[in-house]
Amino acid sequence: MGEVAVPAEIDELIERQWTRLRRGGTWFSAGERTLIAASARGIPLPDIDTPAATAAQMIHDEPAHITRDWLAELEANGLTLAEYVEVLGIVSQLRAIDTFEFGVGRPTRPLPEPTAEGPSPAVVTDATINGGWVPTVGPAFPPSVLSSVPAENEAAMEDIHGVLYLAPTAGEGYTMGNMTVVRDGLSRTQMEFVAARTSLVNECFF
Amino acid sequence: MLRASAEANDETIDMSGIGSVSIDSGVPGDRVLTALTDAAILRDPDEMETARARSIEELGEATTMRALAVAGNFEMMNRLLDAIGVGPPQRIIGIGDEIGVPLPERFRSQFS
């Protein structure tokens, strides 16, 4: 059996993600972003022993084993919490795409060639430590995890989340507020079963 | 959300079926969805091919694709929460016992 047919909206999402990855971010240049992605995938690279690379590998491979002490060590080695949030955004989004493409039978998508763009730093002044280990706008909760780096938050929560699963809003259609939604023949209950099983395998108990 | 969606759809489910394939959860296609999800998350190429074929046979190609999309999304969401130390809210702290997988102590101790 070959690759499972993928709807255009998901392929378009993946193209947007690859464009985001190859461009400069908030705290990292385009080149640094693709190196972070490569580290997450376990691609051996010379001179890549940076706190960002360490963070990328851990987030990708063993997220359930991340502790505050481990994060503190990264900070002591020079990684700011804002940078950590951007790494988290890059790696978690990459994992979503990679897992999907592996599942449907596609080969691993090569990482994009980065542009020459540098970072565009932007501090979110109303992000504070509020229930999590990184600053968030409001309490630390699924929709706010990446809120101190808006570009990552938009990519994850306003794009990927809605295209792959459901939009994090109320209302009719493909939204989390719609408890009777069926998407491509998969019922809401089946969706939540897959979500629960994924979380169980990843040892995530939220 | 699984319990809430089942109630909204007038379905009876057994949450312990999430943690054990030998238990019928009451969710249609739960066995093939479990195999599909596990193979994708654990990146097992041999199991993936078999699981995908069985899912397509039982649920159809589009539904299989969507299940994989959901799994991908939660690969992202799990990492977002674990990487910043957000655990389950107190109201669902007993969920681990219900699905047959006890919660790690690091989550229980925050409420003791």
Side-chain angles (χ1 to χ4, degrees):
Chain A
M1 169 99 205
E3 177 187 320
V4 170
V6 174
E9 65 163 352
I10 294 183
D11 276 331
E12 288 160 6
L13 167 70
I14 295 172
E15 283 306 311
R16 289 194 296 276
Q17 277 303 110
W18 252 235
T19 298
R20 288 181 189 120
L21 193 52
R22 66 187 290 268
R23 300 195 61 184
T26 304
W27 302 104
F28 293 106
S29 68
E32 289 170 328
R33 286 170 63 81
T34 51
L35 284 178
I36 287 166
S39 299
R41 279 185 173 177
I43 298 170
L45 297 163
D47 305 321
I48 197 59
D49 189 20
T50 65
T54 300
Q57 287 162 14
M58 189 70 162
I59 292 167
H60 188 272
D61 296 342
E62 295 181 90
H65 298 157
I66 292 173
T67 64
R68 188 60 188 91
D69 288 345
W70 170 84
L71 181 53
E73 199 175 322
L74 291 179
E75 288 183 272
N77 289 331
L79 189 71
T80 68
L81 290 181
E83 289 169 338
Y84 178 71
V85 172
E86 184 161 338
V87 172
L88 176 57
I90 291 166
V91 175
S92 60
Q93 292 161 42
L94 178 68
R95 183 78 187 193
I97 301 302
D98 281 355
T99 294
F100 173 74
E101 294 208 288
F102 175 80
V104 298
R106 289 178 171 176
T108 303
R109 182 176 294 259
L111 294 173
E113 279 300 311
T115 65
E117 289 173 320
S120 302
V123 176
V124 177
T125 55
D126 53 350
T128 61
I129 300 291
N130 188 347
W133 299 332
V134 302
T136 51
V137 177
F141 198 60
S144 70
V145 170
L146 301 174
S147 54
S148 66
V149 184
E152 299 304 325
N153 201 45
E154 284 160 24
M157 299 309 300
E158 295 180 23
D159 202 1
I160 291 177
H161 200 281
V163 174
L164 294 186
Y165 168 56
L166 298 168
T169 57
E172 298 298 310
Y174 299 141
T175 74
M176 288 186 67
N178 185 351
M179 300 307 287
T180 59
V181 65
V182 178
R183 195 168 191 178
D184 294 309
L186 193 73
S187 73
R188 185 62 190 273
T189 308
Q190 289 172 316
M191 287 185 201
E192 298 307 328
F193 182 88
V194 170
R197 184 68 191 184
T198 301
S199 302
L200 180 65
V201 175
N202 282 327
E203 300 178 66
C204 177
F205 292 89
F206 184 86
Chain B
M1 293 297 277
L2 175 55
R3 202 191 335 253
S5 62
E7 285 171 5
N9 290 284
D10 237 354
E11 294 165 317
T12 302
I13 59 166
D14 184 344
M15 296 285 282
S16 60
I18 298 170
S20 174
V21 293
S22 63
I23 295 172
D24 181 1
S25 69
V27 175
D30 58 353
R31 288 195 179 184
V32 294
L33 288 173
T34 295
L36 189 76
T37 303
D38 287 6
I41 305 309
L42 298 171
R43 298 292 169 85
D44 188 327
D46 297 327
E47 286 297 324
M48 191 72 252
E49 209 167 306
T50 303
R52 187 166 56 234
R54 287 183 178 162
S55 179
I56 290 171
E57 191 179 329
E58 183 166 334
L59 300 176
E61 189 173 357
T63 304
T64 296
M65 179 282 302
R66 184 53 60 183
L68 290 164
V70 172
N73 184 71
F74 282 88
E75 282 261 76
M76 176 180 74
M77 295 309 297
N78 291 163
R79 281 162 178 77
L80 292 184
L81 294 163
D82 278 348
I84 74 159
V86 176
Q90 188 167 16
R91 60 183 166 78
I92 66 165
I93 202 76
I95 198 83
D97 297 327
E98 231 181 305
I99 63 175
V101 179
L103 289 178
E105 185 54 36
R106 70 180 187 274
F107 295 130
R108 290 186 182 278
S109 61
Q110 67 183 324
F111 298 117
S112 60

